[in-house]
């Protein structure tokens, strides 16, 4: 069949043209007054379009557009919003430097808006907030991802409560994306090798305020059907599909930026999916400069940033050697290294020929900067990956932490944002990096805050009832059951929400362990509670699906469907209702399996109080004044024992603290103590868990240093990288011969505080000069049990003389701490171009 293809766009009157520009910029996703323009234009079209502004414009009749063009009230609102949009794009920002060289941010998914369904959950939502915040701050950052034809699945529950999946096709011509074309009007395309075949991808752009997100798409005629399906679905298919997607994301993403004329001076890998980009960046330098692999590595390493999100070893992406060989068998030749050396880049134990290839290990080996996503997760990550730096103390493993954050104007409900704008002033919107504005929470009256929150609970209940009616109608429920949906939930009682991915470690059924105790709380005539659940299980996670089914069966079997409901197809729209309308946000993971979590942050910024296990972000944010902690951060080996203890602790909190506090009312029927906690919660979490704090951390810790490193690296035709590679080769060659021959000190069995300790070490440098190594005194308190040095401090030792083949190093320190103290000496690399001296295998202790 010969089909001619063309694009039809809506025909807008000139005065309405700003609508089309704003519809194609996700700035509107965090500016509800812009969204209201499309709702006001045609509410039915807005609903049918699945809240897509671009699609809405295409569905509205020409007659209605002509009416709007003559409506002075509508035009006034349009002009006011469009003026704000233009002011935002041109306004002064936190970052005021140059933008010739950019940070390229790579993520497998982005949760920007319901109109762009290319996300599954927390990782994508975080990436979306990252992009929006970067726009607010004016950072030199662009995003790279994949354009999934089917996105993630749509969750449908059958009459038995069992999750089923559907994969609707996305029509990208009616979404906020635009294909990038060259000067000739043809699509800009790149190609990557996939097991001997060329996979061609076109590039789409998503405008995000001042910034851009670029998405690669293989669903084009040049590709064979299986290659076209590389970008069919997020996290769909088998391992072969995954490696293809990750090749396209990492290698293809770098090539796409080059094709667009964008220089990725630094690259941020958000999780290990994009780690192949490091190989492509090395290949580029080798090709352009004729460098060896190790010379190119030293040029790229200081400009790579890696964020890990996985707190358990099994959650890290691994590929069998056979599959890797199928897709990368020619890469060792390209890079000038052996196949064993290539595999070692992704192995914890390079000499283990049976070990698979780990994307997290690849990223950690090829990035100078690495971080976890919460303080506790940083600790867990250092423990998990310490084997990559043998001999290095745990606290010095070069994996830092930047605690996740959320974008306030995306996640704080529109009514609450209006309230905050009134009391915080224009500063709240115009200078989002000034987090001290949240200290103005105390200016808001209890009455106004509570009424705003109550309206959001009412909206949540109305929304939940509509979703329940829709579900019951689709599953063929009888009329009596349909009528019961009208009575589901109450807008006036204490509402607890549990909404997240349904995986067994998140324990969505923890509150069901003592049914009789739960029934008393649900059916209490004076102080009742109600529970709202939502979340998807991975399509292949049968235990997760059974958890959902268990909750639904529990409610129906025990006739508590008016008090326990499950809202299907959890997405950003559902999340907005839940995080702003609930009273308590439940989180019950097994510690320390929650890397960070961000849904509780969104809830907290809306005044919803958290009740959570001490895991992820809550481990560092919890105070009694802002919510409740289940337990004290204990970890258990027996899961059944843990569930029993922590479920009882949760019931105790509800019965003794949470429920009484909520229903403690005065004559004005206001829960004043509860509201006091709401204000403290919003004030503290609004500052500490804002994505603007997060991006300032990333910028100061990683982005700005990496961009500075890039300028230094390329200077004088990469001379520094060549010098560093030569130094590292020389160092590794001599390393086995380097040694600490002896250590002497003036330490007595008992020293007085204020005494000075002089330590002398004789070092065999094996032909190196003293300025090519760093000799340190490593000292601190000594553990009585393990004889390890705790809370260690480092003091650099200086070369003071030479005795034949040995160099004498010395340092003098004050005895400042009391108790059992100890010291030793160690040797590390030392070169001005090293971001840090912790290179794998290069540490030597006395």
């Amino acid at each position: 069949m010969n089909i001619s293809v063309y694009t039809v766009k809506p025909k807008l009157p000139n005065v309405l043209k700003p609508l089309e520009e704003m519809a194609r910029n996700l700035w509107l996703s965090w500016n509800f007054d812009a969204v209201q323009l499309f709702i006001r234009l045609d509410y039915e079209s807005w609903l049918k379009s699945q809240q897509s502004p671009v699609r809405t414009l295409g569905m509205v009749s020409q007659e209605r557009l002509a009416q709007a063009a003559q409506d002075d009230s509508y035009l006034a609102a349009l002009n006011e919003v469009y003026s704000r949009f233009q002011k935002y794009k041109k306004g002064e920002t936190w970052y005021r430097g140059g933008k010739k060289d950019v940070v390229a941010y790579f993520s497998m998914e982005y949760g920007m808006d319901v109109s762009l369904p290319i996300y599954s959950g927390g990782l994508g939502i975080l990436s979306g907030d990252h992009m929006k915040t970067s726009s607010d701050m004016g950072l030199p950052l662009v995003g790279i991802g994949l354009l999934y034809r089917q996105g993630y699945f749509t969750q449908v529950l059958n009459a038995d409560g069992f999750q089923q999946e559907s994969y609707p096709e996305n029509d990208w011509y009616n979404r906020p994306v635009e294909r990038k074309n060259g000067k000739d009007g043809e699509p800009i395309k790149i190609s990557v090798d996939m097991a001997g075949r060329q996979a061609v991808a076109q590039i789409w752009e998503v405008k995000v305020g001042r910034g851009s997100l670029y998405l690669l798409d293989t669903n084009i005629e040049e590709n064979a059907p299986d290659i076209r399906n590389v970008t069919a679905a997020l996290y769909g298919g088998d391992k072969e599909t995954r490696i293809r997607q990750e090749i396209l994301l990492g290698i293809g993403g770098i090539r796409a930026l080059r094709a667009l004329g964008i220089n990725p001076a630094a690259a941020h890998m958000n999780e290990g999916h994009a780690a192949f980009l490091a190989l492509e960046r090395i290949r580029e330098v080798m090709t352009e400069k004729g460098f060896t692999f190790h010379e190119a590595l030293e040029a790229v390493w200081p400009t790579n940033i890696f964020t890990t999100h996985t707190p358990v070893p099994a959650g890290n992406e691994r590929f069998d050697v056979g599959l890797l060989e199928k897709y990368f068998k020619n890469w060792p030749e390209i890079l000038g290294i052996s196949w064993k050396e290539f595999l070692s880049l992704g192995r914890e134990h390079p000499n283990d020929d049976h070990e698979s290839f780990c994307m997290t290990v690849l990223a950690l080996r090829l990035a100078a900067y690495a971080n976890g996503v919460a303080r506790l997760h940083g600790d867990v990550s250092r423990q998990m990956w310490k084997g990559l730096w043998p001999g290095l103390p745990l606290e010095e493993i070069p994996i830092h932490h930047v605690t996740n954050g959320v974008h306030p104007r995306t996640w704080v409900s529109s009514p609450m944002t209006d309230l905050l704008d009134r009391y915080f002033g224009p500063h709240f919107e115009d200078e989002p990096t000034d987090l001290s504005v949240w200290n103005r929470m105390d200016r808001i009256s209890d009455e106004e805050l509570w009424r705003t929150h109550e309206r959001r609970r009412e909206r949540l209940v109305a929304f939940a009832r509509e979703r329940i009616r829709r579900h019951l109608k689709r599953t063929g429920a009888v009329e009596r059951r349909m009528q019961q949906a009208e009575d589901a939930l109450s807008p006036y009682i204490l509402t607890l929400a549990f909404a997240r991915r349904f995986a067994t470690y998140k324990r969505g059924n923890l509150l069901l362990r003592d049914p009789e105790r739960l029934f008393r709380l649900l059916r209490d005539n004076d102080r009742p509670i109600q529970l709202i659940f939502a979340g998807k299980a991975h399509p292949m996670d049968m235990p997760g699906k059974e958890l959902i089914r268990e909750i639904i069966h529990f409610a129906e079997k025990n006739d508590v469907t008016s008090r326990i409901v499950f809202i299907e197809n959890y997405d950003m729209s559902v999340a907005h209702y839940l995080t702003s309308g609930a009273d308590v946000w439940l989180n019950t993971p097994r510690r320390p399996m929650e890397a960070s979590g961000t849904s509780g942050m969104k809830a907290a910024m809306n005044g919803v109080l958290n009740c959570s296990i001490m895991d992820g972000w809550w481990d560092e944010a919890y105070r009694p004044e802002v919510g409740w902690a289940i337990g004290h951060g204990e970890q258990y080996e027996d899961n059944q024992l843990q569930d029993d203890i922590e479920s009882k602790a949760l019931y105790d909190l509800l019965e003794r603290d949470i429920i009484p506090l909520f229903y403690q009312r005065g004559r004005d029927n206001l829960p004043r103590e509860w509201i006091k906690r709401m204000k403290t919660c919003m004030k503290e979490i609004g500052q500490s868990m804002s994505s603007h704090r997060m991006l300032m951390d990333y910028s100061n810790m990683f982005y700005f240093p990496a961009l500075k490193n890039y300028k230094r690296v390329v200077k004088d035709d990469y001379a520094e990288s060549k010098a560093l590679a030569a130094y590292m080769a020389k160092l590794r060659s001599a390393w086995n011969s380097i040694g600490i021959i002896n250590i002497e000190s003036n330490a007595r069995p008992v020293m007085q505080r204020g005494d000075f300790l002089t330590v002398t070490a004789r070092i065999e440098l094996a032909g190196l000069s003293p300025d090519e190594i760093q000799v340190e005194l490593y000292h601190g308190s000594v553990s009585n049990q393990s004889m390890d040095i705790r809370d260690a401090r480092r003091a650099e030792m200086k070369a003071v003389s030479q005795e034949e083949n040995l160099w004498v190093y010395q340092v003098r320190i004050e005895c400042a701490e009391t108790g059992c103290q100890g010291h030793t000496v160690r040797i590390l690399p030392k070169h001005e171009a090293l971001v840090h001296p912790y290179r794998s295998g290069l540490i030597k202790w006395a």
Side-chain angles (χ1 to χ4, degrees):
M1 185 182 297
N2 186 9
I3 300 176
S4 299
V5 179
Y6 48 89
T7 302
V8 178
K9 292 188 175 183
K11 185 179 180 181
L12 297 179
N14 286 334
V15 291
L16 299 183
K17 286 291 177 67
L19 284 173
E20 187 167 22
E21 182 183 348
M22 288 190 290
R24 293 188 175 278
N25 192 310
L26 289 182
W27 173 84
L28 60 76
S29 69
W30 69 92
N31 288 274
F32 189 68
D33 51 357
V35 173
Q36 286 179 313
L37 293 172
F38 296 89
I39 297 174
R40 185 174 169 184
L41 191 63
D42 189 330
Y43 184 59
E44 290 302 317
S45 294
W46 173 256
L47 293 179
K48 291 178 181 177
S49 74
Q50 297 178 316
Q51 302 179 36
S52 169
V54 176
R55 181 62 176 152
T56 298
L57 292 180
M59 296 174 68
V60 175
S61 68
Q62 291 300 133
E63 291 78 9
R64 175 63 190 121
L65 291 173
Q67 290 174 359
Q70 299 298 318
D71 184 339
D72 58 347
S73 172
Y74 185 84
L75 293 178
L78 171 59
N79 291 333
E80 193 278 327
V81 173
Y82 188 63
S83 295
R84 280 185 50 236
F85 176 54
Q86 294 298 321
K87 178 186 175 184
Y88 174 86
K89 290 200 297 182
K90 298 173 183 176
E92 201 170 71
T93 61
W94 179 77
Y95 175 77
R96 299 174 188 178
K99 296 189 178 181
K100 177 183 176 183
D101 302 320
V102 304
V103 176
Y105 178 79
F106 288 71
S107 185
M108 200 74 160
E109 53 174 301
Y110 289 87
M112 312 286 290
D113 186 61
V114 291
S115 65
L116 190 64
I118 56 169
Y119 63 94
S120 70
L123 181 70
I125 300 299
L126 176 74
S127 302
D129 283 3
H130 201 105
M131 293 299 301
K132 294 173 185 180
T133 310
S134 173
S135 167
D136 288 345
M137 296 167 62
L139 294 175
L141 181 144
V142 298
I144 296 289
L146 304 182
L147 189 71
Y148 303 101
R149 189 171 77 245
Q150 298 171 336
Y152 200 48
F153 69 88
T154 297
Q155 181 192 53
V156 179
L157 301 181
N158 66 17
D160 190 44
F162 189 77
Q163 173 183 294
Q164 297 172 319
E165 299 86 28
S166 66
Y167 294 86
E169 298 274 333
N170 288 308
D171 174 12
W172 296 123
Y173 295 94
N174 282 303
R175 299 286 185 177
V177 297
E178 291 189 85
R179 191 168 56 190
K180 294 298 290 181
N181 296 328
K183 294 180 180 178
D184 58 0
E186 294 298 313
I188 298 173
K189 297 175 182 178
I190 58 95
S191 65
V192 294
D193 179 85
M194 289 193 179
R197 293 189 295 164
Q198 290 299 302
V200 181
Q202 59 187 358
I203 307 166
W204 299 74
E205 180 183 16
V206 181
K207 290 184 170 61
V208 188
R210 302 178 177 98
S212 291
L213 165 65
Y214 298 102
L215 303 171
L216 303 184
D217 170 25
T218 60
N219 185 30
I220 53 180
E221 292 183 358
E222 289 98 315
N223 292 322
D226 63 321
I227 298 297
R228 295 184 71 162
N229 283 334
V230 169
T231 54
L234 171 62
Y235 303 140
D238 54 14
K239 276 289 186 180
E240 188 149 13
T241 300
R242 286 294 286 270
I243 198 170
R244 287 177 171 185
Q245 289 182 334
E246 295 180 14
I247 288 169
L248 181 63
L249 176 64
I251 298 173
I254 292 292
R255 294 179 184 179
L257 292 174
R258 297 295 185 198
L260 293 167
I262 297 170
N263 179 33
H268 182 178
M269 298 167 271
N270 188 42
E271 196 47 283
H273 308 124
F276 289 137
L277 72 82
L279 300 178
E280 173 64 8
R281 298 188 75 206
I282 290 171
R283 186 201 64 79
E284 281 188 330
V285 176
M286 292 179 66
T287 301
E288 180 185 347
K289 298 297 176 184
F291 279 12
T292 66
F293 170 78
H294 293 286
E295 289 170 339
L297 170 61
E298 299 301 348
V300 168
W301 180 74
T303 63
N304 281 339
I305 303 144
F306 170 57
T307 298
T308 175
H309 293 260
T310 310
V312 290
N316 293 275
E317 187 84 83
R318 293 178 183 272
F319 295 114
D320 291 337
V321 172
L323 184 61
L324 194 77
E325 185 175 14
K326 179 178 178 179
Y327 285 89
F328 285 89
K329 63 182 178 181
N330 62 329
W331 271 80
E333 182 180 351
I334 292 171
L335 299 177
I337 57 177
S338 69
W339 177 244
K340 186 178 180 67
E341 286 176 299
F342 183 83
L343 290 176
S344 72
L345 296 173
R347 283 175 166 168
E348 294 179 69
H349 309 98
N351 293 319
D352 183 355
D353 292 336
H354 299 288
E355 185 179 342
S356 56
F357 190 91
C358 178
M359 297 297 282
T360 303
V361 173
L362 178 65
L364 287 169
R365 289 197 187 279
L366 300 185
Y369 303 100
N371 70 282
V373 290
R375 183 176 63 196
L376 176 60
H377 183 235
D379 294 340
V380 170
S381 298
R382 284 187 289 275
Q383 180 67 44
M384 191 187 313
W385 300 113
K386 63 184 179 182
L388 296 181
W389 293 272
L392 191 62
L394 187 64
E395 65 274 11
E396 292 184 280
I397 299 296
I399 302 176
H400 308 279
H401 82 271
V402 174
T403 303
N404 285 344
V406 299
H407 189 252
R409 298 194 82 86
T410 293
W411 293 106
V412 176
S413 72
S414 176
M416 188 66 77
T417 298
D418 290 342
L419 180 65
L420 298 182
D421 280 338
R422 286 204 307 275
Y423 284 91
F424 289 5
H427 201 63
F428 184 44
E429 180 176 11
D430 297 341
E431 296 188 44
T433 54
D434 183 1
L435 303 175
S436 65
V437 72
W438 285 93
N439 290 325
R440 298 179 182 180
M441 276 303 307
D442 293 330
R443 298 181 180 183
I444 302 174
S445 70
D446 290 356
E447 291 81 3
E448 283 187 282
L449 182 61
W450 187 245
R451 298 305 172 219
T452 301
H453 177 66
E454 284 194 312
R455 285 194 294 272
R456 290 309 300 169
R457 193 191 312 116
E458 291 166 5
R459 290 291 299 125
L460 169 59
V461 169
F463 172 78
R465 287 173 176 172
E466 174 56 33
R467 281 298 187 95
I468 295 168
R469 278 193 295 269
R470 192 188 307 174
H471 167 72
L472 292 173
K473 183 177 180 180
R474 180 177 48 75
T475 54
V478 298
E479 184 62 27
R480 181 182 62 82
R481 185 73 181 88
M482 294 287 289
Q483 288 296 323
Q484 288 178 345
E486 301 297 327
D487 297 324
L489 306 176
S490 165
Y492 308 112
I493 68 177
L494 177 61
T495 303
L496 285 68
F498 180 98
R500 51 196 22 89
R501 179 167 60 90
F502 264 74
T504 53
Y505 81 86
K506 292 177 182 283
R507 299 186 295 175
N509 60 349
L510 191 66
L511 202 51
L512 310 184
R513 288 186 68 83
D514 188 340
E516 292 304 317
R517 203 168 175 184
L518 179 57
F519 294 151
R520 288 198 298 272
L521 300 180
L522 295 171
R523 294 167 176 162
D524 190 305
N525 291 326
D526 298 320
R527 302 188 306 182
I529 69 169
Q530 57 193 5
L531 305 173
I532 302 179
F533 292 90
K536 298 177 179 180
H538 187 277
M540 304 302 291
D541 184 4
M542 296 306 294
K545 291 183 177 183
E546 281 300 321
L547 273 180
I548 295 172
R549 188 168 170 270
E550 177 188 347
I551 291 167
I552 293 170
H553 278 221
F554 181 92
E556 292 178 349
K557 176 184 175 182
N558 297 290
D559 196 25
V560 287
T561 54
S562 64
R563 288 287 184 262
I564 298 179
V565 302
F566 190 100
I567 300 176
E568 66 182 355
N569 201 36
Y570 184 45
D571 62 6
M572 290 184 72
S573 179
V574 176
H576 275 105
Y577 282 100
L578 287 170
T579 56
S580 63
D583 298 299
V584 175
W585 196 258
L586 281 178
N587 187 31
T588 53
R590 296 192 192 282
R591 177 185 166 109
M593 296 181 72
E594 186 93 311
S596 172
T598 57
S599 61
M601 301 175 189
K602 303 174 184 102
M605 289 188 192
N606 280 285
V608 177
L609 302 180
N610 277 262
C611 179
S612 174
I613 296 292
M614 293 286 282
D615 198 8
W617 76 280
W618 193 239
D619 182 69
E620 62 194 86
Y622 166 71
R623 291 201 309 115
E625 292 81 8
V626 301
W628 294 273
I630 304 169
H632 304 281
E634 302 91 346
Q635 293 177 212
Y636 300 81
E637 293 185 6
D638 185 330
N639 288 346
Q640 288 297 321
L641 177 63
Q642 180 181 15
D643 291 349
D644 286 341
I645 292 173
E646 292 180 343
S647 64
K648 290 175 183 176
L650 176 54
Y651 284 119
D652 288 344
L653 281 173
L654 287 168
E655 293 169 347
R656 300 173 186 175
D657 199 346
I658 297 173
I659 295 173
L661 190 69
F662 181 84
Y663 286 105
Q664 180 183 321
R665 311 291 173 99
R667 290 184 178 181
D668 54 9
N669 200 34
L670 291 178
R672 298 268 180 191
E673 287 302 313
W674 187 279
I675 297 169
K676 181 180 179 181
R677 288 201 186 198
M678 288 176 65
K679 288 184 176 181
T680 304
C681 174
M682 294 174 74
K683 181 195 303 183
E684 294 192 7
I685 305 305
Q687 295 181 71
S688 64
M689 298 300 157
S690 163
S691 56
H692 298 91
R693 185 274 310 152
M694 176 181 76
L695 261 290
M696 286 190 283
D697 285 349
Y698 272 114
S699 297
N700 292 321
M701 293 171 63
F702 306 136
Y703 291 169
F704 296 162
L707 290 172
K708 185 178 179 181
N709 292 343
Y710 173 79
K711 291 181 179 178
R712 199 182 68 238
V713 163
V714 300
K715 186 179 179 182
D716 298 328
D717 204 28
Y718 290 81
E720 183 180 85
S721 301
K722 292 193 72 171
L724 180 56
Y727 163 76
M728 293 301 296
K730 179 181 178 183
L731 184 67
R732 290 188 186 279
S733 177
W735 193 253
N736 289 336
S737 300
I738 293 174
I740 302 168
I741 306 304
N742 75 337
I743 304 173
E744 299 173 354
S745 77
N746 64 338
R748 302 184 301 276
V750 178
M751 304 280 286
Q752 300 293 318
R753 175 185 280 166
D755 287 349
F756 284 91
L757 177 71
T758 299
V759 179
T760 303
R762 287 170 177 80
I763 309 292
E764 169 60 65
L765 294 186
L768 297 177
S769 64
D771 59 357
E772 290 181 312
I773 63 166
Q774 183 165 310
V775 180
E776 293 180 341
L777 181 70
Y778 187 84
H779 63 105
S781 300
V782 175
S783 167
N784 290 328
Q785 182 176 358
S786 62
M787 291 304 291
D788 291 332
I789 294 178
R790 301 172 303 176
D791 302 321
R793 295 177 296 282
R794 299 157 48 188
E796 184 176 359
M797 302 182 73
K798 299 293 186 181
V800 295
S801 64
Q802 186 174 9
E803 297 177 357
E804 297 182 354
N805 294 329
L806 303 182
W807 282 89
V808 179
Y809 282 77
Q810 199 170 79
V811 69
R812 184 170 182 259
I813 61 169
E814 182 180 359
C815 295
E817 301 293 330
T818 60
C820 184
Q821 302 290 306
H823 65 260
T824 188
V825 173
R826 68 181 188 178
I827 301 173
L828 291 164
K830 183 179 182 180
H831 192 283
E832 62 182 1
L834 283 173
V835 173
H836 59 71
Y838 308 126
R839 303 297 285 262
S840 182
L842 295 179
I843 184 170
K844 186 153 291 191
W845 294 89

